[in-house]
Amino acid sequence: MALRKIRELGDDCLRQVCRPVTEVTQRTLDLIEDMFETMYEAQGVGLAAPQVGVRKRIVVIDVTGEDPILLINPEIVELSGEQTGMEGCLSVPGKSGQVTRANYAKVKAFDQNLEPIEVEGTELLARALQHEIDHLDGKMYVDIVEGNLVSNEPDEDEE
Ligand code: ZN
């Protein structure tokens, strides 16, 4: 296992449409392990392959710290409701912004054996599913943020 370098906003790889996974090789399994390790190390709740420079439709998510979810070739099949809240991204370090998304999301995907799976969630999990799957099509939350990005660091000027 190894930590991978997280690409930041401005990197071309974040703006590409990623390719579907057609076979899971040892290299794919290594990538998936590295993605989980990189996400936990960065204290994120989700990470998409293009964020570590790989243009493949692979996403890892864990919104509780003990519920790892792997999604290969994920597709959103149902969205409903609405939630508005602050959102951040490991590729936009130190910033967050207000984003409105569906409050419920249902996703079809494949596991590491390429067996079909279904994942559904509300609130933070629904937000993470939508955010990470957007990455696979080169979309980022900064494109749909309402108002300005804010800095997560305390602003010294205000003290
Ligand atoms: Zn992100």
Side-chain angles (χ1 to χ4, degrees):
M1 294 211 297
L3 293 177
R4 305 247 178 159
K5 184 179 171 345
I6 297 177
R7 306 294 181 96
E8 296 186 3
L9 188 63
D11 189 308
D12 276 353
C13 196
L14 292 169
R15 293 307 196 171
Q16 312 268 337
V17 174
C18 298
R19 290 185 297 268
V21 174
T22 54
E23 62 169 341
V24 174
T25 61
Q26 186 56 50
R27 223 175 141 198
T28 319
L29 295 173
D30 291 345
L31 168 67
I32 291 164
E33 244 183 84
D34 290 353
M35 284 174 64
F36 273 113
E37 195 183 347
T38 303
M39 174 184 75
Y40 288 127
E41 169 74 19
Q43 297 184 310
V45 298
L47 188 70
Q51 292 183 274
V52 292
V54 179
R55 291 179 199 135
K56 287 193 171 159
R57 305 188 79 82
I58 301 174
V59 159
V60 297
I61 291 175
D62 191 341
V63 296
T64 65
E66 44 195 42
D67 188 17
I69 298 171
L70 164 67
L71 302 170
I72 294 178
N73 301 341
E75 230 178 289
I76 291 177
V77 292
E78 199 181 326
L79 294 173
S80 67
E82 196 176 279
Q83 58 172 319
T84 298
M86 295 305 277
E87 194 164 315
C89 178
L90 293 178
S91 293
V92 192
K95 304 275 184 194
S96 55
Q98 183 171 293
V99 178
T100 298
R101 296 202 186 259
N103 193 50
Y104 167 86
K106 185 192 219 176
V107 170
K108 281 187 173 172
F110 296 87
D111 67 12
Q112 62 182 28
N113 301 312
L114 291 183
E115 298 290 337
I117 55 168
E118 221 172 68
V119 174
E120 60 176 354
T122 59
E123 298 174 15
L124 181 57
L125 178 53
R127 179 177 292 280
L129 288 166
Q130 294 165 81
H131 176 118
E132 299 309 331
I133 292 171
D134 272 356
H135 272 301
L136 304 181
D137 290 316
K139 298 180 197 158
M140 295 184 67
Y141 87 93
V142 296
D143 307 337
I144 53 170
V145 71
E146 294 148 22
N148 295 320
L149 292 183
V150 295
S151 177
N152 296 336
E153 312 302 328
D155 188 341
E156 286 175 17
D157 294 342
E158 285 178 3
E159 288 176 1

Short mmCIF file of all heavy atoms in Angstrom, two decimals, residues 51 88-91 131-132 135, ligand 1:
data_model
loop_
_atom_site.label_atom_id
_atom_site.label_comp_id
_atom_site.label_asym_id
_atom_site.label_seq_id
_atom_site.Cartn_x
_atom_site.Cartn_y
_atom_site.Cartn_z
N GLN A 51 -8.68 11.92 -8.95
CA GLN A 51 -8.01 12.76 -7.94
C GLN A 51 -6.61 12.26 -7.61
O GLN A 51 -5.81 12.99 -7.03
CB GLN A 51 -8.84 12.82 -6.64
CG GLN A 51 -10.15 13.57 -6.82
CD GLN A 51 -10.89 13.66 -5.51
OE1 GLN A 51 -11.63 12.75 -5.15
NE2 GLN A 51 -10.68 14.73 -4.76
N GLY A 88 -16.69 20.23 0.81
CA GLY A 88 -15.28 20.43 0.51
C GLY A 88 -14.79 19.31 -0.38
O GLY A 88 -15.55 18.40 -0.72
N CYS A 89 -13.53 19.40 -0.77
CA CYS A 89 -12.96 18.41 -1.69
C CYS A 89 -11.47 18.32 -1.43
O CYS A 89 -10.81 19.34 -1.27
CB CYS A 89 -13.23 18.87 -3.13
SG CYS A 89 -12.53 17.78 -4.37
N LEU A 90 -10.95 17.09 -1.39
CA LEU A 90 -9.51 16.92 -1.13
C LEU A 90 -8.67 17.57 -2.23
O LEU A 90 -7.50 17.87 -2.01
CB LEU A 90 -9.17 15.44 -1.00
CG LEU A 90 -9.77 14.73 0.23
CD1 LEU A 90 -9.40 13.26 0.23
CD2 LEU A 90 -9.32 15.40 1.52
N SER A 91 -9.27 17.81 -3.40
CA SER A 91 -8.54 18.46 -4.49
C SER A 91 -8.61 19.98 -4.43
O SER A 91 -8.04 20.67 -5.27
CB SER A 91 -9.06 17.98 -5.85
OG SER A 91 -8.76 16.60 -6.01
N HIS A 131 -21.07 13.86 -5.21
CA HIS A 131 -19.80 14.59 -5.38
C HIS A 131 -18.75 13.70 -6.07
O HIS A 131 -18.10 14.13 -7.02
CB HIS A 131 -19.32 15.03 -3.99
CG HIS A 131 -17.99 15.72 -3.97
ND1 HIS A 131 -17.83 17.02 -3.55
CD2 HIS A 131 -16.74 15.27 -4.30
CE1 HIS A 131 -16.54 17.35 -3.64
NE2 HIS A 131 -15.85 16.31 -4.08
N GLU A 132 -18.60 12.48 -5.58
CA GLU A 132 -17.54 11.61 -6.12
C GLU A 132 -17.85 11.15 -7.54
O GLU A 132 -16.96 11.06 -8.39
CB GLU A 132 -17.31 10.40 -5.20
CG GLU A 132 -16.87 10.75 -3.78
CD GLU A 132 -15.68 11.68 -3.71
OE1 GLU A 132 -14.84 11.68 -4.63
OE2 GLU A 132 -15.59 12.45 -2.74
N HIS A 135 -16.93 13.61 -10.10
CA HIS A 135 -15.50 13.62 -10.44
C HIS A 135 -15.20 12.76 -11.66
O HIS A 135 -14.28 13.07 -12.43
CB HIS A 135 -14.66 13.08 -9.26
CG HIS A 135 -14.25 14.11 -8.26
ND1 HIS A 135 -13.50 15.22 -8.59
CD2 HIS A 135 -14.45 14.19 -6.92
CE1 HIS A 135 -13.27 15.94 -7.48
NE2 HIS A 135 -13.85 15.35 -6.47
ZN ZN B 1 -13.88 16.02 -4.55
#
